Amino acid sequence: MKIHSEIYSLINKAIPGIRIAMVFILLILVSCAAVNQNNITDTKPSSGYTDSYQSTVPPTTGEEFHKILSAEWERGLLENPEWATRLGDNRYNDRLNDVSYEAIKDRQKANRALYNRLKEINRIELSEPDQLNYDLYVQKLENNNFGYRYKTYFMPIDQMSGIQIGFAGIPDYVPLKTAKDYQNYLTRLELFSKKIDQTIDLMKRGIETGWVHPKIILKLVPDQIKAQYNRPVEESPLFRPFKEFPDSFSESRKDNFIADANTTIKQSVYPAYISLYTFIIETYLPACRETIAALDLPGGESYYDHRVKNYTTTDLTPKEIHQLGLDEIDRIRQEMELIVKEVEFKGTFNEFLDSLRTDSNFYYLDENDLLDGYRVICKKADAQLPGLFGHLPRLPYGVKRIPDYQAPASPTAYYYSGSEDAGRPGFFMANTYLINTRPKYEMEALSLHEAVPGHHLQIALAQELDNLPKFRRYSGYTAFVEGWGLYAEKLGEEMGFYKDPYSKFGQLTYEMWRACRLVVDTGIHALGWTRQQAIDLMVANTAKTENDIIVEIDRYIAWPGQALAYKIGELKILELRAKAEKQLGPSFNIRKFHDVVLGNGALPLDILEKQILNYIAAALQ
């Protein structure tokens, strides 16, 4: 996932799962300024657009639209300097995102004004591709402007994302080649305490307004923070750039930078972490809620409905999704029972699951062996891609372990996106914490999801679509992105994977896991389920270890609705493929189908369906 990670812990959210990417990616990415809820430093751009669009020759409607897109992209980079650095734009490398309440309100005001400006454009006068660009951009603005009523920005920290995780990852993506690069990095270290103060202020406002997380999911956050400062400065991830310098640096320059880094981390960064730790322990955790449902937030029912629509890009209700999940559980369970018979296991289904969780033969003893195992699978997958795709990304990827300070609350893996402009590959981030909970039988499915043909292939390809506006190349719809990741797992059968029945069971476990998400996410946030009910459902139906299951359930509690995207997206892609295969018959070409699915970047599912139907119609002519 995505994922997600912040934006890469939420990028890492996202695309948790997103990252998580999120995740949680996840995380869960947001498109330029129109969608991002974090932001800049001391410089504020003008909120008007007049000067940007004046010309002696009246622009065409299309030119005017693209000037707006260009100006907004620039505003997004200015307001999100950390994100700009990740993309390889180094103009703002001496700044951190301004996450103050005042900056958030300013951005919301600017985005409402932008929406009004775009509605003045005559859509009919745009070209067909630009009509799609226009629709997607306006839809994003409508969704985000509506969402501002839900004060989720008052909850900037959870167990998978936030400044307590994300800031330590800055050395992974900042350039460190010149003295200016090192000075920019030191300046960012100096600004860290200000960003901590802004973050604490947001959480105080969350306490006042009732926008706080459930207490149960934050139990690991204090240790995450302490892990950042409770160590010698030289062992901090933030000090890593000062252990190895470019060859061109003189010894005196190196010594000066080392001395400055020591002073800044010891006298500014560490005290800021301690301030955050103290606030979390003494003020925030006691004020957090005992309940776990999104319904218990202000306007909770409306908020969850909004999250469901946002993450699935459908009009499905929580109850409809819940029933869909139950139906999928029944279907997948029948396939799993066939595997149990195939391996001639003598015992019940639950006893088979217990044997998978407890048999040491299914687990590596050394984390390096686990990582190497993932790398071997990825290498095998690489060789199969030309048979399934006409277009492949230029950007390479690698496999890395999730850092220790992040691993206990992280999912099994997530994708960390790279940047061709920044010269940084993508990474499949694997969790080696509690290695006896990372079974071999799930490794093939997980690798295909996070690396290729899953997240790396799809996200890197999108970034390389030069014909699309940048907001589309770098944005994402969770149902599309995670739906593709889950579809990629199923493609493993066509790629020669899952020959071992236990590995096939692992793939079914991952599919069952996503089906269970439909049930437990809606159960928790709309139907009154307890945390233990959700855990019990996962234990009864998947071969995932209990540690994994608990981490996952707490993720669903923290990110209402996000977990619904995977199965909803996969089912739509499978439905569209089946339709194309049926209507095109012998002329169906899997490489062309996949190129159409991925050829416009991430899309809402209804727009994806229109693209595929147009492809089918054109192929039949």
Side-chain angles (χ1 to χ4, degrees), residues 225-292:
I225 302 169
K226 183 177 283 189
Q228 300 293 358
Y229 70 80
N230 195 27
R231 63 173 78 190
V233 168
E234 294 77 8
E235 296 179 11
S236 168
L238 295 170
F239 190 80
R240 196 169 74 243
F242 303 97
K243 292 183 176 180
E244 186 174 347
F245 292 94
D247 294 338
S248 60
F249 282 23
S250 67
E251 290 303 316
S252 61
R253 172 170 282 175
K254 294 176 185 178
D255 291 342
N256 288 337
F257 277 133
I258 289 172
D260 288 346
N262 261 295
T263 299
T264 302
I265 293 174
K266 188 177 297 182
Q267 297 183 8
S268 180
V269 174
Y270 277 10
Y273 275 126
I274 292 170
S275 175
L276 179 62
Y277 178 85
T278 302
F279 171 75
I280 293 290
I281 289 290
E282 296 182 359
T283 304
Y284 194 68
L285 278 174
C288 285
R289 54 195 171 96
E290 300 293 339
T291 58
I292 62 173

Side-chain angles (χ1 to χ4, degrees), residues 227-384:
Q228 300 293 358
Y229 70 80
N230 195 27
R231 63 173 78 190
V233 168
E234 294 77 8
E235 296 179 11
S236 168
L238 295 170
F239 190 80
R240 196 169 74 243
F242 303 97
K243 292 183 176 180
E244 186 174 347
F245 292 94
D247 294 338
S248 60
F249 282 23
S250 67
E251 290 303 316
S252 61
R253 172 170 282 175
K254 294 176 185 178
D255 291 342
N256 288 337
F257 277 133
I258 289 172
D260 288 346
N262 261 295
T263 299
T264 302
I265 293 174
K266 188 177 297 182
Q267 297 183 8
S268 180
V269 174
Y270 277 10
Y273 275 126
I274 292 170
S275 175
L276 179 62
Y277 178 85
T278 302
F279 171 75
I280 293 290
I281 289 290
E282 296 182 359
T283 304
Y284 194 68
L285 278 174
C288 285
R289 54 195 171 96
E290 300 293 339
T291 58
I292 62 173
L295 294 185
D296 297 309
L297 290 166
E301 183 175 359
S302 172
Y303 167 63
Y304 186 60
D305 288 344
H306 175 67
R307 291 291 82 197
V308 170
K309 185 176 182 65
N310 180 68
Y311 280 121
T312 68
T313 67
T314 71
D315 292 322
L316 292 169
T317 67
K319 287 185 178 180
E320 289 171 335
I321 292 173
H322 191 84
Q323 185 58 52
L324 177 61
L326 292 173
D327 294 342
E328 281 291 283
I329 287 174
D330 288 343
R331 179 188 64 79
I332 300 166
R333 177 66 173 264
Q334 293 177 30
E335 290 191 52
M336 297 173 87
E337 295 276 11
L338 293 176
I339 300 293
V340 177
K341 291 180 180 178
E342 180 183 346
V343 299
E344 299 180 346
F345 180 80
K346 308 301 181 184
T348 65
F349 183 79
N350 286 338
E351 288 171 340
F352 181 72
L353 297 184
D354 286 340
S355 73
L356 294 181
R357 297 185 184 114
T358 58
D359 188 339
S360 61
N361 291 318
F362 290 121
Y363 300 87
Y364 284 107
L365 301 177
D366 182 87
E367 66 176 43
N368 290 320
D369 292 337
L370 176 66
L371 294 173
D372 286 343
Y374 284 128
R375 293 182 181 114
V376 169
I377 295 168
C378 289
K379 190 68 175 176
K380 289 173 60 179
D382 286 340
Q384 300 301 316

Side-chain angles (χ1 to χ4, degrees), residues 45-66:
S46 168
S47 60
Y49 304 96
T50 306
D51 293 340
S52 300
Y53 311 122
Q54 286 181 342
S55 173
T56 56
V57 178
T60 66
T61 302
E63 289 172 340
E64 182 181 11
F65 177 54
H66 279 277

Side-chain angles (χ1 to χ4, degrees), residues 598-615:
L598 301 179
N600 273 289
L603 294 169
L605 297 183
D606 59 335
I607 301 297
L608 173 65
E609 183 165 14
K610 291 179 183 177
Q611 298 279 330
I612 296 300
L613 293 180
N614 289 340
Y615 150 72

Side-chain angles (χ1 to χ4, degrees), residues 6-7 9-10 13 38 82 96-97 99 155-170 188 191-200 202-203 221 224-225 228 238 269 272-273 276-277 280 405:
E6 201 288 51
I7 236 177
S9 289
L10 240 193
K13 260 170 186 187
N38 287 333
E82 296 169 45
L96 294 180
N97 295 354
V99 298
M155 301 189 295
I157 285 177
D158 58 48
Q159 76 277 27
M160 294 165 296
S161 63
I163 195 170
Q164 84 286 6
I165 293 174
F167 190 70
I170 282 185
R188 278 180 157 165
L191 291 170
F192 177 68
S193 61
K194 179 180 179 181
K195 190 171 178 181
I196 286 286
D197 290 342
Q198 293 171 341
T199 301
I200 290 174
L202 291 178
M203 289 191 287
V221 169
Q224 291 173 345
I225 302 169
Q228 300 293 358
L238 295 170
V269 174
Y273 275 126
L276 179 62
Y277 178 85
I280 293 290
Y405 62 82

Side-chain angles (χ1 to χ4, degrees), residues 1-3 8 15 18 21 378 381-382 385 389 391-399 414-420 423-429 446-464 473 480-482 484-486 488 598:
M1 78 176 69
K2 116 28 52 184
I3 99 26
Y8 224 21
I15 254 51
I18 332 270
C378 289
D382 286 340
L385 298 180
F389 301 90
H391 300 284
L392 296 173
R394 298 183 297 269
L395 190 73
Y397 71 96
V399 178
Y414 61 83
Y415 176 66
Y416 188 92
S417 61
S419 167
E420 189 173 29
R424 186 183 67 252
F427 281 104
F428 165 16
M429 304 294 294
L446 185 59
S447 300
L448 300 181
H449 182 110
E450 303 296 347
V452 294
H455 287 327
H456 174 72
L457 186 146
Q458 181 264 313
I459 292 172
L461 271 179
Q463 291 180 2
E464 295 169 12
R473 290 160 56 189
F480 182 99
V481 175
E482 297 296 356
W484 176 263
L486 184 50
L598 301 179

